[in-house]
């Protein structure tokens, strides 16, 4: 591809390169059409997600920035690094604690709940 988004030699001689580019968004550039959104829940509250979004991205899109508290002081946490290295984004997903929300794709009907501490309080008898 050339610098104007077209294939080399695709532009006619003397053609204005600015007028040659019509796509405005990445989706338009590749001709993509997003699949329909779906619903999941966060602490019982319905939120929407798009196919391919991570759970963290879906929560951010809904304006939710924290979904875990620390073990010792109960401080709020959410996504920090976004690549699964820091573990600040741990959440309970479909009853399974300690899921990294920044890496886990959101799925239709997923039930995400705030994780308190190590996420095993509900499992301890």
């Amino acid at each position: 591809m050339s610098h104007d988004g077209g294939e080399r030699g695709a532009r006619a001689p003397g053609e204005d390169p600015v007028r040659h580019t019509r796509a405005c968004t990445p989706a338009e550039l590749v001709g993509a059409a997003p699949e329909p959104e779906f619903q999941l829940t966060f602490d019982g509250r319905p939120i929407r997600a798009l196919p391919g979004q991570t759970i963290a991205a879906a929560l951010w899109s809904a304006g939710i920035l924290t979904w875990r508290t620390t073990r010792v002081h109960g401080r709020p946490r959410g996504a920090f690094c976004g690549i699964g290295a820091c573990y600040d984004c741990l959440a309970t997903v479909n009853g399974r604690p300690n899921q990294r929300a920044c890496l886990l794709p959101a799925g239709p009907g997923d039930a995400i709940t705030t994780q308190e501490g190590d996420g095993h309080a509900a499992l301890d008898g």
Side-chain angles (χ1 to χ4, degrees):
M1 269 193 171
S2 67
H3 68 282
D4 64 355
E7 292 184 15
R8 285 193 195 279
R11 185 170 18 128
E15 185 178 347
D16 182 356
V18 175
R19 294 178 137 201
H20 186 69
T21 303
R22 293 189 182 128
C24 298
T25 67
E28 290 171 344
L29 286 171
V30 297
E35 293 179 28
E37 65 183 26
F38 55 86
Q39 194 172 63
L40 48 91
T41 61
F42 173 69
D43 288 342
R45 170 183 156 195
I47 62 172
R48 295 185 231 182
L50 290 171
Q53 277 188 316
T54 62
I55 288 175
L59 293 173
W60 281 337
S61 295
I64 300 164
L65 302 179
T66 63
W67 51 84
R68 179 174 84 86
T69 58
T70 59
R71 286 180 288 175
V72 177
H73 298 291
R75 294 188 176 130
R77 293 290 187 263
F80 180 70
C81 73
I83 58 172
C86 73
Y87 292 81
D88 270 355
C89 68
L90 295 177
T92 300
V93 180
N94 299 324
R96 296 179 56 207
N98 298 316
Q99 303 299 302
R100 288 182 280 181
C102 72
L103 297 180
L104 191 62
D110 279 345
I112 295 100
T113 54
T114 297
Q115 179 170 313
E116 296 183 18
D118 62 8
H120 291 97
L123 303 175
D124 295 338

